[in-house]
């Protein structure tokens, strides 16, 4: 469906032309927040299949704009590492301080326990920023996982956002080279190297073998520069801690890192009978335990494959089989694909959150197709639990 794929990309590019970023959704009331930036990777994938250079030429200016959006103003944070080097990383930050229009009643009710309008406005921004991240809602963004009013999305440097931006920078360099814009290409190659360094310095935790979200606190700032502190890495295991596997890693000790990360994923508790859980906290929020969502299964599986390590491939296939089996068995049982699954048992779809679990889902279908394309119908995939 190359024409459909190009049509989707062309629509997203036109949103950037008009607003400067990809909206959270193509509706007027989503125009004050973005979404995880994966447009560049979509263009590279389409180019890879079609060789369409016109699409590349048409999209490149929009990608530069989108990159600027994530690397300027309130989205950009400068942080100084333990050795005194400064790094730039990015965060989610909705340009919105009112209830989300699509969930106005619920947000007003959530904020009603807060004493004054200033605190309410701050919370509305944090909730909209969590929606911008895609993880709405999750203990990942909360200082107290039982209390949604402690959502603090804008105080966190997220591992996954910065891994997506690293991929965007590598992709822009690749696309710019294709159309002969070599100075743009070298600028973005350097930007990617800097972000890779920042990801390794600020997020990587060798003891855990994971990249960890980083909490910004006011006490660390001087002149708009945050000072890195070990204790502000969030030591909890989230599926997003493994997203950097998905971006090329140019480190020379790549294999050692990957071996560590594979071990860490296997012992983290996130790997469950039917796939990878988003977090280890069962809060009733839909981006928490016991739910697994399709894009994270896919990103982690692809990342493991990309390393080329035998043990990583074995784990990738193992996760794929768990996921395919539960998708298939649940489909047989309910007659539908589902947006999320309960990964603690085969054959159960997910729950929690603020709305009824949805069926039919594009990303569920897409991930199943991608896994079948990668692995075929695995011999050891039994079609019952
Ligand atoms: C498409 O991607 C594959 C795998 O990364 C690569 O080997 C191939 O050269 C790419 N094709 C094009 C046209 O870029
Ligand atoms: C980092 O930024 C601070 C504040 O601007 C500056 O004082 C310091 O010299 C910078 N560090 C390096 C290594 O450039
Ligand atoms: C939403 O964004 C527009 C355009 O940038 C801005 O004028 C408006 O104040 C924003 N709305 C809120 C509630 O922040
Ligand atoms: C976390 O929130 C819950 C629910 O509001 C509350 O009962 C609990 O005391 C809070 N925990 C901490 C450590 O503040
Ligand atoms: C990493 O492992 C792969 C597969 O085992 C091997 O081909 C490659 O040479 C290794 N790379 C390094 C830098 O050791």
């Amino acid at each position: 469906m190359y024409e459909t794929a190009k049509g989707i990309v062309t629509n997203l590019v036109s949103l950037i032309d008009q607003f400067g970023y990809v909206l959270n959704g193509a509706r007027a009331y989503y125009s004050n927040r973005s979404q995880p930036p994966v447009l560049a990777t979509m263009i590279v994938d389409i180019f890879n299949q079609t060789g369409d250079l016109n699409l590349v030429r048409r999209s490149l200016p929009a990608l530069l704009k989108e990159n600027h959006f994530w690397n300027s103003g309130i989205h950009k944070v400068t942080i100084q590492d333990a050795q005194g080097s400064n790094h730039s990383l990015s965060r989610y930050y909705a340009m919105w301080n009112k209830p989300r229009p699509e969930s106005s009643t619920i947000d007003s009710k959530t904020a009603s326990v807060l004493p004054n309008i200033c605190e309410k406005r701050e919370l509305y921004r944090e909730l909209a920023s969590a929606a911008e991240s895609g993880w709405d809602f999750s203990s990942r963004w909360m200082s107290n996982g039982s209390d949604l009013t402690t959502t603090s999305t804008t105080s966190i440097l997220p591992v996954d956002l910065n891994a997506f931006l690293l991929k965007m920078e590598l992709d822009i360099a690749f696309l710019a080279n294709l159309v002969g814009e070599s100075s743009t290409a070298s600028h973005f190659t350097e930007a990617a190297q800097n972000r890779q360094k920042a990801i390794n310095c600020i997020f990587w935790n060798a003891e855990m073998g994971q990249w960890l979200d980083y909490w910004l606190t006011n006490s660390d700032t001087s002149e708009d520069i945050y000072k890195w502190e070990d204790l502000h890495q969030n030591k909890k295991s989230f599926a997003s801690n493994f997203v950097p596997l998905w971006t090329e890693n140019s480190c020379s000790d790549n294999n050692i890192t990957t071996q560590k990360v594979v071990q860490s994923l296997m012992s983290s508790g996130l790997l469950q009978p039917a796939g990878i859980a988003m977090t280890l906290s069962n809060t009733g929020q839909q981006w928490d335990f016991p739910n697994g969502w399709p894009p994270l299964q896919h990103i982690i599986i692809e990342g493991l494959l990309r390393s080329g390590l035998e043990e990583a491939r074995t784990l990738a296939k193992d996760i794929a089989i768990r996921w395919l089996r539960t998708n298939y068995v649940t489909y047989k049982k309910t007659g539908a694909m589902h947006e999320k699954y309960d990964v603690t048992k085969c054959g159960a779809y997910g729950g929690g959150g603020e709305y009824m679990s949805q069926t039919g889902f594009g990303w569920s279908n897409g991930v199943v197709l991608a896994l079948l394309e990668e692995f075929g119908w695995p011999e050891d995939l039994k079609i019952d639990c």
Side-chain angles (χ1 to χ4, degrees), residues 212-249:
L212 304 176
D213 284 348
Y214 188 84
W215 280 71
L216 303 165
T217 68
N218 287 333
S219 62
D220 307 336
T221 48
S222 64
E223 306 160 19
D224 294 335
I225 300 209
Y226 291 84
K227 286 208 170 33
W228 187 87
E229 294 227 32
D230 168 62
L231 83 163
H232 294 150
Q233 281 190 330
N234 188 344
K235 307 291 187 306
K236 291 183 183 136
S237 289
F238 306 132
S240 49
N241 294 0
F242 298 91
V243 172
L245 282 174
W246 181 69
T247 51
E248 266 166 77
N249 192 324

Side-chain angles (χ1 to χ4, degrees), residues 25-265:
R27 301 178 198 171
Y29 59 74
Y30 285 139
S31 64
N32 286 58
R33 59 185 122 113
S34 188
Q35 58 168 283
V38 291
L39 176 59
T41 208
M42 293 165 76
I43 294 164
V44 167
D45 283 350
I46 294 173
F47 173 77
N48 189 297
Q49 295 296 316
T50 65
D52 185 345
L53 276 174
N54 282 333
L55 181 74
V56 174
R57 271 189 211 100
R58 192 149 35 102
S59 310
L60 197 52
L63 293 180
L64 300 185
K65 242 183 177 177
E66 192 190 23
N67 188 266
H68 178 73
F69 170 82
W70 286 111
N71 288 301
S72 58
I74 49 183
H75 300 105
K76 178 181 160 179
V77 173
T78 303
I79 177 158
Q80 191 169 76
D81 68 22
Q83 282 72 45
S85 298
N86 299 325
H87 303 274
S88 285
L89 287 164
S90 305
R91 61 175 157 184
Y92 291 109
Y93 202 114
M95 298 161 288
W96 189 255
N97 61 4
K98 295 191 282 195
R100 289 167 302 150
E102 75 276 22
S103 301
S104 187
T105 313
I106 297 174
D107 283 4
S108 303
K109 184 158 173 278
T110 303
S112 65
V113 298
L114 296 178
N116 61 55
I117 186 66
C118 291
E119 290 191 27
K120 285 184 214 275
R121 281 190 186 138
E122 271 172 36
L123 177 61
Y124 292 141
R125 186 187 305 287
E126 300 302 341
L127 295 175
S129 301
E132 182 174 63
S133 80
W135 288 51
D136 45 313
F137 293 105
S138 173
S139 59
R140 183 180 168 203
W141 308 124
M142 301 181 211
S143 52
N144 176 347
S146 325
D147 182 354
L148 192 56
T149 67
T150 67
T151 297
S152 314
T153 322
T154 66
S155 298
I156 295 167
L157 292 175
V159 169
D160 48 357
L161 172 62
N162 286 284
F164 293 143
L165 291 170
L166 169 59
K167 178 76 164 64
M168 178 202 273
E169 283 150 2
L170 292 166
D171 288 341
I172 291 177
F174 171 74
L175 295 169
N177 260 329
L178 287 176
V179 297
E181 296 192 19
S182 56
S183 71
T184 303
S186 52
H187 173 81
F188 278 93
T189 302
E190 196 187 329
Q193 283 163 354
N194 289 338
R195 195 177 301 268
Q196 178 80 67
K197 254 186 245 158
I199 287 174
N200 292 343
C201 291
I202 306 301
F203 295 142
W204 176 245
N205 183 300
E207 215 169 296
M208 281 181 68
Q210 299 180 26
W211 293 268
L212 304 176
D213 284 348
Y214 188 84
W215 280 71
L216 303 165
T217 68
N218 287 333
S219 62
D220 307 336
T221 48
S222 64
E223 306 160 19
D224 294 335
I225 300 209
Y226 291 84
K227 286 208 170 33
W228 187 87
E229 294 227 32
D230 168 62
L231 83 163
H232 294 150
Q233 281 190 330
N234 188 344
K235 307 291 187 306
K236 291 183 183 136
S237 289
F238 306 132
S240 49
N241 294 0
F242 298 91
V243 172
L245 282 174
W246 181 69
T247 51
E248 266 166 77
N249 192 324
S250 47
C251 292
S252 54
D253 63 350
N254 195 8
N255 283 354
I256 299 166
T257 305
T258 309
Q259 270 163 1
K260 247 188 208 166
V261 176
V262 167
Q263 289 305 321
S264 177
L265 178 55

